[in-house]
Amino acid sequence: TQDYSSTDAFLATEQAADLALISVPGQYAAREAYKALDANMDVMIFSDNMSLEDEKNLKRYAIEKGLFVMGPDCGTAIMNGIGLGFANAVQSGTVGIVGASGTGIQEVVCLLDDFGIGISHAIGTGGRDLHQDIDGLMAKKGLRFLNQDSSTELICLISKPPHPEVAEALIAELRTYDKAAVICFLGNTSSQS
């Protein structure tokens, strides 16, 4: 394998890539993510300490381009059976997960695997995606992706306590789907139907 000292150095090659994993100090993460998005790559940002404004702008730009920005502060995802960041090896199956909680995703994928139920995808959004300022941009994109994914039969949404308006919008989105859905807002003690 070849090591590259920068995103620019990699992009200057003729290598084909469709996903960039970014792990640099937070003040530089947005800059590197924009480079990857400009090269039509989905992005997973392990870095934290990115401003809410940068996160929102990155996610809006990704949506315009039809791409994912998982993160910042996204430590886990499983796409097409490939674990990204910290991910356990689990069997493929029919449950698709969107999560704004990496530990929540890991717990659910491991429990499903223990019960012989596999997953189609586990899309991490970063812990602040359901913050009022971010408005669940990647959670919505992930849910729509799973709703259109032929290998997904059940959708699971996992998050730390979301902003109430964002939670309501995601619930309303899921109600428009033909696929069944399970929602776990960790730490939320209110019940909603």
Side-chain angles (χ1 to χ4, degrees), residues 21 28 98 103 130 169 173:
L21 174 62
Y28 307 111
V98 171
T103 54
L130 277 65
E173 173 84 20

Side-chain angles (χ1 to χ4, degrees), residues 119-153:
I119 65 161
S120 55
H121 308 279
I123 303 166
T125 66
R128 301 184 308 186
D129 193 69
L130 277 65
H131 185 279
Q132 183 178 18
D133 290 342
I134 307 301
D135 198 31
L137 289 170
M138 278 302 126
K140 291 173 191 169
K141 178 169 178 48
L143 293 174
R144 291 173 184 152
F145 172 82
L146 294 175
N147 188 49
Q148 296 172 358
D149 179 53
S150 60
S151 63
T152 301
E153 295 177 10

